[in-house]
Amino acid sequence: MIVLKHLAIFILLIVFQTTFISIISIQGIQPDLILCYLVYLSMKKGALVGTLSGFTIGIMFDVYAPQHLGVSAFAKSLSGYLSGQLDEQKIKINDRFKLGLLFLVTILHHTFIFVFTFGFKATLLQWWFPHILPSAIYTVIVGGLALFIFKRKM
């Protein structure tokens, strides 16, 4: 039942990310809500759940861009695995560290997708400063707001 709950949340986030996120985009830069939730879930449930969730969600997301089938699945699996290594069932992590981890995972995730999508036709720095870094910052801001709101409700 818990698996279905998280799957439903991911599906809602995929629909929201692909349809409504453009409303809050700033000059084409969008937060990655799916990655926010994946990092949250991975830190709560561990690396195995993070890896499997990342792969499942990545494949579902890859359906929207089948020309690069598997790239998002692998990037999200890797993101889930890395963030799941800091399993909160075993260690206590403060909120600032969570946001720092979200920032690093977002940068790694988008860099990985960039390299596998575009190869080295364009330099990484041409994409890193105008796209990857602002997206990571925006994702951390949205993730921080979500963390603040959901912590207040608990």
Side-chain angles (χ1 to χ4, degrees), residues 16-143:
F16 190 78
Q17 183 83 35
T18 57
T19 56
F20 299 113
I21 203 72
S22 61
I23 295 170
I24 62 169
S25 87
I26 301 172
Q27 294 183 345
I29 304 299
Q30 302 173 347
D32 194 338
L33 303 177
I34 298 164
L35 197 58
C36 281
Y37 191 70
L38 178 63
V39 169
Y40 164 79
L41 181 64
S42 300
M43 290 179 72
K44 286 289 184 195
K45 302 295 183 181
L48 180 62
V49 171
T51 304
L52 293 175
S53 298
F55 180 78
T56 303
I57 300 313
I59 285 291
M60 292 170 70
F61 204 78
D62 279 339
V63 169
Y64 287 104
Q67 67 272 20
H68 302 291
L69 190 63
V71 172
S72 184
F74 188 70
K76 287 190 181 352
S77 296
L78 188 61
S79 300
Y81 174 77
L82 291 174
S83 54
Q85 290 300 309
L86 298 171
D87 188 349
E88 284 194 308
Q89 295 173 0
K90 297 177 184 166
I91 57 175
K92 179 71 176 145
I93 301 169
N94 70 23
D95 293 341
R96 282 185 234 142
F97 189 80
K98 290 176 189 177
L99 294 176
L101 178 68
L102 178 61
F103 180 74
L104 289 174
V105 168
T106 304
I107 286 177
L108 289 172
H109 176 267
H110 290 306
T111 301
F112 182 84
I113 287 180
F114 167 80
V115 168
F116 275 89
T117 302
F118 298 108
F120 293 102
K121 296 174 187 170
T123 64
L124 186 58
L125 290 179
Q126 287 175 326
W127 274 85
W128 208 79
F129 286 110
H131 299 286
I132 295 172
L133 187 61
S135 177
I137 292 169
Y138 200 3
T139 299
V140 167
I141 291 169
V142 170

